[in-house]
Amino acid sequence: MTMRKRHCRSRNSARDGFIIVAVLWILIALATLASIYSIYVGNSALALSVMDDGLQAEELVSTSAELTAYRLTVPTKERRPTRGGFSFRLDRANVVVSFSSETARIDLNAAPKPLLAGLFAALGASNDNADQYADRIIGWRTTPKPNAQGDEAALYRAAGLAYLPRGAPFAHANELWLVQGLPPALVRRAMPFVTVYSGRPEINIFDAPATVIAALPGMTPARLNNFLAQRETVSPEPESISRLLGDQPNSTAEGSSAFRLRIHIAFDNGWQTRSEVVILLDATDQPFHVLSWRNDIDADPDQPQIATRLR
């Protein structure tokens, strides 16, 4: 009888030990699942937070464009500023906006050859190469003549390219990367200074960065430095141009209906983003049209610097 009791007690102890081990394994598994779940929830919350910031950033960019359009359409077209800036706070973000007319850049579709060649020379190309690069741009945007000898398309075929020149105006400044014969490093340096939205052959010398002004025919370093030292103190009038630069048919003090906005958004949680938007005013059906929109642009030091005060 005693032996039977000992055997039962031993069997019960083994079963109890197995149950305890099983319970411990279950608790460990539950703890692991809880840990994984907490990590998943945390990552999901972070992703949702970033997504929420991204959606808010898009709304803030839209708001910035609307506010800029309002500031530019309230004055008459003749008195419209060509550049300026402002800042505002909305919800949990600070927003800084600067804007400038597209005449601060060289229009790839409207600029004459001397201005295009001057830009490449200002960026380091030799005069001979700069002239050739300007010819390639003009060849890209020019409609070919029937039965033309030595047409532009032949250069692209000879280079083994899988495409031909557009034979029409540039649709976007990024097409400059496709122009045959232009060194990529030179294109990269030129991109901050060109546009397809100005529609004018001239540049606004009171808003343009130094590199663009240096592209003007006959511009020397001494004359450029002298002009840059004076332009903030003179009135942006045609008379000022002739007094400071002499006869410069490729220069103007006027703007265009297209404006480029650079928008810096800083959220309270530390996340920041920069966007660049080009808008067109004077539309018939809407206050403005968005021509271009780029998010998450870099704070590129080579970008033209736009003043944050009205002119």
Side-chain angles (χ1 to χ4, degrees):
M1 191 73 170
T2 302
M3 292 296 295
R4 183 180 300 175
K5 289 181 179 180
R6 288 179 179 176
H7 179 70
C8 291
R9 200 160 40 242
S10 176
R11 187 168 57 187
N12 290 338
S13 297
R15 184 181 61 188
D16 293 342
F18 174 78
I19 293 174
I20 292 173
V21 172
V23 170
L24 289 175
W25 275 108
I26 292 173
L27 291 175
I28 292 173
L30 290 174
T32 302
L33 289 174
S35 177
I36 294 173
Y37 178 76
S38 64
I39 293 173
Y40 171 78
V41 171
N43 290 338
S44 298
L46 179 61
L48 290 173
S49 174
V50 172
M51 184 182 298
D52 183 54
D53 287 346
L55 292 174
Q56 288 196 35
E58 288 197 9
E59 292 300 321
L60 289 171
V61 172
S62 296
T63 300
S64 300
E66 292 171 1
L67 290 174
T68 303
Y70 175 75
R71 282 171 171 260
L72 293 171
T73 52
V74 168
T76 62
K77 187 175 180 180
E78 292 72 20
R79 298 178 60 86
R80 178 182 293 164
T82 58
R83 63 181 168 107
F86 59 94
S87 61
F88 64 93
R89 178 173 176 82
L90 187 62
D91 193 14
R92 54 190 181 85
N94 293 312
V95 184
V96 178
V97 182
S98 61
F99 59 85
S100 178
S101 167
E102 282 294 87
T103 48
R105 296 183 173 216
I106 295 174
D107 194 299
L108 292 173
N109 292 323
K113 178 180 175 178
L115 191 58
L116 294 170
L119 174 62
F120 292 123
L123 294 173
S126 67
N127 290 335
D128 290 341
N129 287 339
D131 283 343
Q132 294 177 18
Y133 301 151
D135 284 337
R136 298 288 71 76
I137 291 177
I138 294 173
W140 178 276
R141 75 190 191 191
T142 302
T143 302
K145 298 179 181 180
N147 302 320
Q149 297 296 322
D151 62 351
E152 193 74 12
L155 298 176
Y156 288 72
R157 297 189 190 97
L161 297 175
Y163 58 89
L164 299 178
R166 178 178 286 278
F170 284 76
H172 194 282
N174 283 341
E175 284 187 7
L176 193 61
W177 291 98
L178 301 178
V179 176
Q180 193 274 335
L182 269 63
L186 190 63
V187 173
R188 186 176 298 107
R189 293 198 297 272
M191 288 302 295
F193 308 112
V194 297
T195 182
V196 296
Y197 303 123
S198 165
R200 301 192 56 153
E202 315 95 348
I203 58 169
N204 186 319
I205 61 170
F206 294 98
D207 297 339
T211 301
V212 172
I213 299 173
L216 290 169
M219 183 61 63
T220 63
R223 176 175 286 187
L224 174 63
N225 291 333
N226 180 64
F227 172 74
L228 293 176
Q230 298 185 59
R231 73 169 174 177
E232 291 298 331
T233 61
V234 300
S235 175
E237 303 292 340
E239 295 77 12
S240 301
I241 298 176
S242 59
R243 186 171 67 254
L244 295 174
L245 294 178
D247 183 22
Q248 279 291 351
N250 301 127
S251 61
T252 183
E254 299 178 4
S256 69
S257 295
F259 282 79
R260 187 174 299 261
L261 287 56
R262 291 182 67 85
I263 303 160
H264 179 203
I265 302 173
F267 286 90
D268 292 345
N269 61 8
W271 185 60
Q272 300 185 29
T273 183
R274 290 177 173 85
S275 298
E276 184 179 81
V277 180
V278 180
I279 62 174
L280 177 67
L281 305 178
D282 306 324
T284 56
D285 54 339
Q286 297 180 15
F288 68 95
H289 286 300
V290 174
L291 301 177
S292 175
W293 181 319
R294 290 195 303 143
N295 290 330
D296 300 324
I297 63 172
D298 295 329
D300 190 344
D302 292 332
Q303 288 283 348
Q305 297 300 307
I306 301 172
T308 56
R309 65 181 179 86
L310 293 177
R311 283 195 68 98

